[in-house]
Structure formats: structure tokens, C-alpha cells
Amino acid sequence: MTERTFSIIKPDATEKNLTGAVNAVIEAAGLRIVAQKRIKLSQAQAEKFYEIHNERPFFGELVEFMTRAPVVVQVLEGENAVARYREVMGATNPAQAAEGTIRKLYADSVGENSVHGSDSLDNARIEIAQFFTDDEIVG
């Protein structure tokens, strides 16, 4: 089934000019980028996006990290896009990520792991709506 999922290319990757390289891995995996924009997250945007973690000890560091440099927010489309992109991203810890995954190739650490991807279709819809209008998504 064709689905849409949400992706963020995080500051550690944009600072190293890896947007094109990450996009190449995404597209090689059979996912289409149907919307993409480079933005600088505000403190409020980052806090809202990661509010599920606001009680966790790493919340402040996460918000600080996500606002330190531009990110690239994306809508990806393809067969089973949520599961497919999670597979392409690789494990959260790059040391445990499979060869050829985005995190194995480009991430520095668990905290600076290059990309975010939605973990469910419901969350994908919510996350996409935080950053894109329907008019911005050209499928």
C-alpha cells in the first residue's frame, strides 16, 4: 500500500552538507520525496515536535540540538513508506545500524543520529501537518 511518512534530516547532517547524500539513499530505497524544505526550527517548534519526551532527562539537549542549525523536513511516499523508511534509517545507535543505512553511513552518535522518521502512520500524519500544507505536497 502506498503511504506517506515524515522525515527530518537533522542538524548534524545538514552541517556536514549531507542532504543530497541522504536523499540519494532515500530515493535508492524506492521512496519518493514529494515535499521538502530547509528550515530553522524555533525553540517552540522543537519543543512541540518532541513534547512526547518533555519529561525525559535529554529533552533540553534534544531541543538545543534540533535548533542549532537548519534541518530539512520532508514528506516521503512509497510502498509501506513508514516501515521502509525506518529500515533505511537504521538503528538509533549508529554503531548498531545495518550496513548501508543512513545512520551507519552518516550518524555520529545516538544523540546526533542524522535523521528522524515517523514511527506510525498516525504519527506521520500528525508530523506532516506540523510542517506542510496539503498544497505543498506534490505527489
Side-chain angles (χ1 to χ4, degrees), residues 63-120:
V63 169
E64 190 177 313
F65 164 61
M66 290 301 293
T67 57
R68 83 174 185 207
V71 298
V72 176
V73 292
Q74 303 172 308
V75 180
L76 309 180
E77 187 176 82
E79 288 295 308
N80 301 309
V82 172
R84 185 78 191 110
Y85 188 49
R86 293 192 67 75
E87 186 181 308
V88 169
M89 287 191 308
T92 303
N93 182 343
Q96 297 167 350
E99 290 300 326
T101 61
I102 294 167
R103 290 175 172 153
K104 186 65 158 188
L105 292 166
Y106 305 118
D108 294 326
S109 65
V110 173
E112 296 196 6
N113 61 14
S114 298
V115 286
H116 162 85
S118 303
D119 61 4
S120 69

